[in-house]
Amino acid sequence: MLRAIRIRPGPPARSLRGHPWAFLGEVDVAGPPPVDGDCVELTDPKGRCLGAGLWNGKSQIAWRRYSRRPISLDGALLEELVTAAVQRRAGKPVCRLVWSEADSLPGLVIDRYNDLLTVQALTCGIDRRLPQILDILQRLLKPREIVLRNDAATRKLEGLDQHIRTASGQPLAPCWMEVGGVQASVDLMGGQKTGMYLDQLDQHARVAQLAKGRRVLDAFCNQGGFGLACAKAGATSVLGLDSSEDAVVAARAAAERNGLNAQFEVANVFDWFTEHREATYDLIILDPPPFARSKDSVPGAVRGYKELNLRALRLLSPGGILATYSCSHRVTEEMYLELIEDAASDARREAVVLERTSQPADHPVLLNFPESRYLKGFIIEIRA
Ligand code: SAH
């Protein structure tokens, strides 16, 4: 039997409609509060079960659902959930293996880089169960090494420390491995995110199909995922821009290692566009970081995205292609399309949407959890 807490009567909490979180202010805790990290049943004000979740009274998000039934995560369920998530990605050597709420494991993110794994514990409940999780992963996948990327700032909100270490305790040097047909330098202990932007791997391949014979600008290139794939597919030239020096160094090294003709420069993309108003490209990729991290930053983010798309549209040749993405969940697909329309109107360009793109299957959208629906993109052709 799990300890049960109730949703307070009052303004309807999102958890009553299927959202997997309950906020501290929404619940009535009768008696002493549960221990942080414990499994707790949540009920509606009438006592009907809404599911079982991980409790953390230190966080505003006090309850995160892992099951619709009132059962403990400890015992068989943890292994069942990890195994099911891994099986859903069977056959993918480089991918996100476990994605938090979307795999019913709130706060657990696991990425696979061939025989290496990275694990992030973003909630107290998952952090407490890391020894069991590492044990399950060792048995299931026999990885060469597991990197604990517990450096995310959100761990502070859960009352957790920040660190990066390996399961073996040995340091792990950056290494070369094949990612999407290109040798990439993978630095699991030092790279951004867990090393790479796995959510864009499918798009690297898709955009590369359009790159042959084109002059390509890969803006916000990170380690050059789009640009290198385009160079390999026969682009006439590739220029990648990123503000991170480490990322640009890795991109240049990868171009050399793969024998690809692609240039990478450290630059602020906004400044670069200001300084290069006369340049012409036939394919421009815009893949910026999330501009809207909070509700209040949405209007500023929309202005930033519009400015970028406007600048890119102005530099494209007739027949050119714009592949443009946003990973801010607060900027919806419709909002993003509208701001591109605004930009096309200002730039006086005639353009058509060839494709709407979305998250890859290893980052599934959990219904009733809009926070999991974050990545959207448009592939647009300039007619004139
Ligand atoms: N396109 C990449 C992922 C890009 S993530 C891929 O497919 O792998 C966003 C990138 O934008 C990060 O690498 C970050 O370093 C970079 N960045 C953030 N702000 C920037 C700016 N103003 N100018 C240039 N790069 C920026």
Side-chain angles (χ1 to χ4, degrees):
M1 269 283 277
L2 296 183
R3 166 83 187 271
I5 53 170
R6 262 174 209 245
I7 287 287
R8 286 198 175 132
R14 290 197 295 170
S15 54
L16 296 171
R17 302 256 318 123
H19 194 285
W21 294 348
F23 289 92
L24 204 51
E26 294 173 339
V27 297
D28 263 332
V29 181
V35 173
D36 292 342
D38 270 5
C39 301
V40 164
E41 178 185 351
L42 185 70
T43 71
D44 71 8
K46 294 197 168 127
R48 285 176 301 215
C49 175
L50 294 169
L54 293 169
W55 176 263
N56 186 356
K58 284 197 192 70
S59 167
Q60 282 306 306
I61 307 169
W63 182 89
R64 297 176 192 244
R65 189 180 65 228
Y66 58 80
S67 175
R68 295 275 183 164
R69 291 177 298 134
I71 52 171
S72 171
L73 183 61
D74 302 304
L77 184 59
L78 183 58
E79 178 146 4
E80 273 172 34
L81 290 171
V82 173
T83 308
V86 168
Q87 279 170 354
R88 281 194 277 273
R89 281 78 165 185
K92 280 192 145 191
V94 179
C95 66
R96 176 144 293 179
L97 271 186
V98 174
W99 194 39
S100 209
E101 281 83 355
D103 284 300
S104 304
L105 287 159
L108 180 63
V109 177
I110 305 179
D111 289 343
R112 176 186 213 164
Y113 292 86
N114 293 306
D115 58 353
L116 300 172
L117 299 177
T118 63
V119 173
Q120 300 180 69
L122 304 171
T123 54
C124 163
I126 288 296
D127 195 70
R128 216 171 80 183
R129 291 168 179 81
L130 272 179
Q132 295 94 298
I133 292 165
L134 295 187
D135 182 56
I136 294 166
L137 292 173
Q138 302 281 13
R139 278 187 282 118
L140 265 183
L141 297 159
K142 301 185 178 52
R144 179 156 65 83
E145 183 62 279
I146 302 177
V147 178
L148 292 157
R149 277 297 296 244
N150 284 329
D151 55 329
T154 49
R155 276 176 62 92
K156 283 194 224 152
L157 305 176
E158 291 273 317
L160 299 168
D161 69 340
Q162 287 171 278
H163 61 264
I164 302 177
R165 63 179 177 84
T166 57
S168 72
Q170 300 298 314
L172 180 73
C175 60
W176 289 99
M177 64 173 65
E178 188 175 312
V179 180
V182 172
Q183 287 286 315
S185 164
V186 175
D187 181 4
L188 298 186
M189 297 197 74
Q192 287 185 22
K193 275 195 146 183
T194 63
M196 286 193 134
Y197 287 85
L198 297 179
D199 53 3
Q200 286 289 45
L201 290 184
D202 289 358
Q203 286 304 304
H204 297 166
R206 174 65 194 115
V207 171
Q209 290 170 342
L210 305 167
K212 196 169 192 296
R214 293 184 191 264
R215 294 162 290 179
V216 175
L217 177 67
D218 178 3
F220 307 94
C221 65
N222 191 252
Q223 296 190 37
F226 280 105
L228 294 168
C230 289
K232 191 169 178 199
T236 358
S237 67
V238 171
L239 174 61
L241 306 173
D242 201 283
S243 57
S244 156
E245 196 158 338
D246 289 349
V248 167
V249 167
R252 284 182 184 149
E256 192 178 331
R257 178 144 181 134
N258 290 280
L260 293 171
N261 178 23
Q263 313 302 314
F264 295 95
E265 282 176 22
V266 178
N268 177 322
V269 169
F270 288 93
D271 296 345
W272 188 94
F273 273 128
T274 307
E275 290 153 15
H276 296 81
R277 291 178 193 269
E278 307 302 323
T280 308
Y281 289 90
D282 313 304
L283 170 58
I284 297 182
I285 298 126
L286 291 178
D287 188 21
F291 289 161
R293 290 192 192 267
S294 65
K295 231 190 223 160
D296 299 341
S297 57
V298 169
V302 168
R303 283 195 298 277
Y305 285 127
K306 183 192 156 186
E307 188 61 24
L308 278 176
N309 281 282
L310 172 62
R311 303 288 188 98
L313 285 166
R314 283 188 176 141
L315 298 193
L316 279 161
S317 57
I321 303 257
L322 174 64
T324 177
Y325 303 91
S326 159
C327 57
S328 301
H329 82 81
R330 288 188 176 81
V331 175
T332 63
E333 193 186 356
E334 282 320 298
M335 284 161 76
Y336 201 56
L337 185 58
E338 271 174 32
L339 69 86
I340 298 169
E341 288 189 316
D342 259 3
S345 157
D346 287 5
R348 298 173 190 274
R349 302 306 300 259
E350 192 86 351
V352 295
V353 176
L354 294 183
E355 262 172 58
R356 288 174 176 237
T357 77
S358 178
Q359 288 159 233
D362 57 350
H363 291 66
V365 172
L366 176 64
L367 294 184
N368 294 306
F369 186 40
E371 290 82 354
S372 70
R373 190 173 67 219
Y374 73 104
L375 183 61
K376 73 280 312 169
F378 294 92
I379 299 181
I380 289 168
E381 185 182 59
I382 314 303
R383 290 277 166 83

